[in-house]
Each structure stands twice: as C-alpha cells, then as structure tokens.
Amino acid sequence: MLPATGLRTHAWNTAIRSVLLLAGFPLLLAMMGYALALLIVAGEARTIEEGLRAAAGLLPTIIPLALLVAAIWFAIAWGAHNRILDFVTGAKRVADPRDAPRLWKLAEALCISRGMALPRLAVIETPARNAFASGLTARTAGVTVTRGLMDALDDRELSAVIAHELSHIRNGDARLGVIAAVFVGVITLVTDGVWQAMRFGSWRGIRMGHRRTSSSRGGGRGGGGVMLALIAIAILIAVLAHMLALVLRMALSRNREYLADAGAVDMTQDADAMITALRKVEQRPDMPRIPQQVRALFLHDAALSRGFGWFATHPLVDARIAALVRYAGGHDPGRLPALPEDAEETAAPEQPRQPQLEASRTPFQERLDAIAAFQRTKDRRFMDDIAKREAARREGGDPDQAAPPPPAAG
C-alpha cells in the first residue's frame, strides 16, 4: 500500500484494497465447489484420502456449473437491477425536473462539472435520511435520495451527498457491488441447499444407507466413519466459505464508502459539507423495512455499522469523518442532538406541483421548462432558444427579443 499522506493517496489505497478483496471471491467459489464434491463422493470413498482425491477430480465439472449459475444470476441483475430496487424501496423516478427542481439542479451542476451524463434520479417518500447509487452501466446509472434527506440538508450538504453517490457511479462501485452480490448469492445458494437437505432428512437417509453399506462390507476399510468424516469436512468448508464471503462483501462495502467520501470532497472541494451531511444523516438513517442486502448500498445504516469488526457493511460515521478531517482538512462539529424516534416509519405526503405563472418565471424555471419541453418533443429548438435568452441576459439585453420563452408547465 502507498503511504496515505492526503486525500488522493487515501482514495488510491482504498481502491487497491477493494480490488484485492474482490479477487478472493473466485477462491471461495472453488471452496464451495469442493465442499459439494465431497458430499457427492462421501458414500463411495473407502478412505478419507481417496474421498479427498475423488472430490478434487470433480472440480473441473462443478466449477463451470457454478460459473454458469453465477452468469445467469448476473444476467438477471443486469436486466432488472433498477426495477427491483425501485420495487423494494418504493422509490419513484423523477422523470420531470419540475418534480424535484432542487435535486435536479444540484445533480446537473455536479455532472456538468465532471463531464458526466445526468443519472436517473429517484426519491423515496420517507422521513429517513439516506441515499444510494445504482446501475451497472452509465446508461442505467441512478441516484436515489429520501425526502427526509432533502428536507434536512442545505444545498452544500445535499450537493456533497449527491457527489458521494456520483462517485460510486464514476468508480464503478455499482458494478463491483453486483458482482460481489452474485458470488455471495451463489455461495449462499449452495450452502442453503446443503442445510435444507440435512433438515428434510437427507442426513438421516445418508446415515442409514451407510449403515447398510458398512454391514454388507463386513468391516471394510471405509466404514461409517469415512463417510461422516468427509461430510463433516464438506460442511466445515461450506460454512467457512459462506462466512468468508460475507466478510469480504462487507469489507468491500466499507472500502467503497471511504472512497466515495473522498470522491465527494474531490468533486465539491467542500469537506465540511460532507462531514455535516454525515452528521445529519446519522440522526435518522434507518429504514428497517428495506432488506439488508439493499441497505448495504445506502449512504449509512446504523444497524449495519454496529457489526463486530469485519461483519459491518458500513464504517462508523465517526471513522469516516475522522478520515475526512485527517486527509481532507475538514472540521467536525461533533454529533448532533438525537431526534425523537418515530413510532412507525411513515411516508411524507407528496407535495403537489405548483403551477408557474408565465410572468413570474425565473431564468432557472425557464431553463427547467425548456428541458421538460425538449424531453417531451425531442425538439432542439427549445434548448437553442433558452441558450439565446440566457446569452441576452448576460449581455444586458432583452431575452424576449432574442428568442421566445419555452412553454410553461401546465
């Protein structure tokens, strides 16, 4: 690792650790394949050594099958990733900039500053304060925020959070997270299959069948002990691979959060805004109705941060802020007062869209209307006209003489 002397080297070190962690998943997949092979050969092996060799001989067949399952799993995630997340979280896409003008404006400004395409924006109607990035390609990338987050943060802080999520997209974290989830899913699938087989009587059937086999052999070399030993080894390997897969995935998630924090500061040049945003998110981050696998994508999750050591998917807010103070020169105001806990998470009512009067439209609202008109009609004339009107304003002229205004929102 490079000696971390500043924000940039801290980000590089985090990226290197992420790659090294991801490289461990194929090894765990091979371990799970070997455990499955041991279960297959356990009833035929005469000695433990013979069973271990026979299981190794099955790996060239089992590993490709496991990779095929992983490929199918990945294809499903590739095609339906955003739809699944919207369904699970209750997020609603912001298709019109007038539905969330503040979110749209801040995200657009950050994307323009980095030459990025504006991602798909969505809002979850909940008082909780959180956000996450999604998408496997630049075309499907998205940023989702909660209503509570937008209400609690000022523009600087909300820009920092959006920049954090955009950093996840720029760094390829969404793809990285899905690949890690695929590996964990395959490993979990095999582990669950083994335990379900044991639960529904396969374990008893194997023992009874082996008793008959050992009786017919009349004291052969293997006996019931060989089968039980091989099954015990298989279970031990499967459990170890499953636990290590979870640990690696959680560690990968923690590293991504540090890297995105650094990316947000690099994009906004405002470490203090990222720090105060984290402190406000810390006051009310929890969305317990969301599955844990999805909450691992969130900006912060209190429950998933309290895991013991390697079993936490998120670093503690204090640790993240300490890194921003040390490497980015930020200032920590300390923890904010705790908010009263809601008896039940309730959705905030949607704010009705207020009609805009033609005479009172601001230049920014005109720009939003032009974008909306272009999205509806795909007519570049609206964008050309708004550019002429903005140029006329900058030069002190009359924008109405330069070009007609865009149609107002209905």
Side-chain angles (χ1 to χ4, degrees), residues 22-257:
L22 188 59
F25 281 109
L27 175 61
L28 297 179
L29 191 60
M31 288 175 60
M32 186 57 69
Y34 188 65
L36 183 60
L38 283 173
L39 291 176
I40 294 173
V41 304
E44 301 297 330
R46 293 174 295 178
T47 66
I48 294 177
E49 293 78 11
E50 179 182 324
L52 295 176
R53 286 195 300 270
L58 290 177
L59 284 180
T61 301
I62 292 177
I63 295 299
L65 290 176
L67 292 175
L68 177 62
V69 172
I72 295 173
W73 205 309
F74 183 77
I76 294 173
W78 183 280
H81 181 66
N82 281 323
R83 288 193 294 273
I84 293 172
L85 286 174
D86 286 348
F87 175 78
V88 170
T89 62
K92 295 181 180 179
R93 182 176 182 180
V94 181
D96 191 319
R98 293 166 296 181
D99 292 334
R102 181 167 167 249
L103 175 65
W104 192 288
K105 173 187 175 183
L106 296 176
E108 186 180 51
L110 289 168
C111 289
I112 291 173
S113 71
R114 285 297 185 269
M116 296 177 62
L118 184 67
R120 174 184 184 273
L121 301 176
V123 176
I124 304 173
E125 297 293 343
T126 172
R129 303 171 183 177
N130 234 311
F132 67 88
S134 61
L136 296 175
T137 65
R139 186 177 62 85
T140 62
V143 172
T144 301
V145 302
T146 64
R147 181 69 63 185
L149 183 83
M150 291 193 293
D151 291 343
L153 272 55
D154 62 27
D155 283 357
R156 287 176 54 236
E157 295 160 347
L158 185 56
S159 289
V161 170
I162 296 172
H164 174 101
E165 303 305 336
L166 292 176
S167 295
H168 278 311
I169 295 172
R170 293 180 69 201
N171 298 336
D173 289 344
R175 289 191 299 271
L176 201 65
V178 169
I179 293 171
V182 166
F183 277 116
V184 173
V186 172
I187 292 171
T188 302
L189 181 66
V190 178
T191 305
D192 290 345
V194 172
W195 287 114
Q196 288 297 324
M198 301 292 182
R199 179 182 176 185
F200 288 106
S202 295
W203 172 258
R204 183 173 58 185
I206 289 172
R207 287 191 300 171
M208 293 176 63
H210 187 69
R211 285 172 184 167
R212 291 194 296 268
T213 302
S214 59
S215 298
S216 64
R217 288 177 180 173
R221 286 188 299 165
V226 172
M227 172 180 276
L228 293 177
L230 291 175
I231 291 176
I233 294 173
I235 293 174
L236 180 63
I237 293 175
V239 171
L240 180 62
H242 180 69
M243 296 296 291
L244 288 176
L246 293 177
V247 168
L248 287 180
R249 185 183 180 189
M250 292 170 182
L252 187 63
S253 179
R254 292 196 303 273
N255 279 337
R256 291 203 312 268
E257 294 306 321

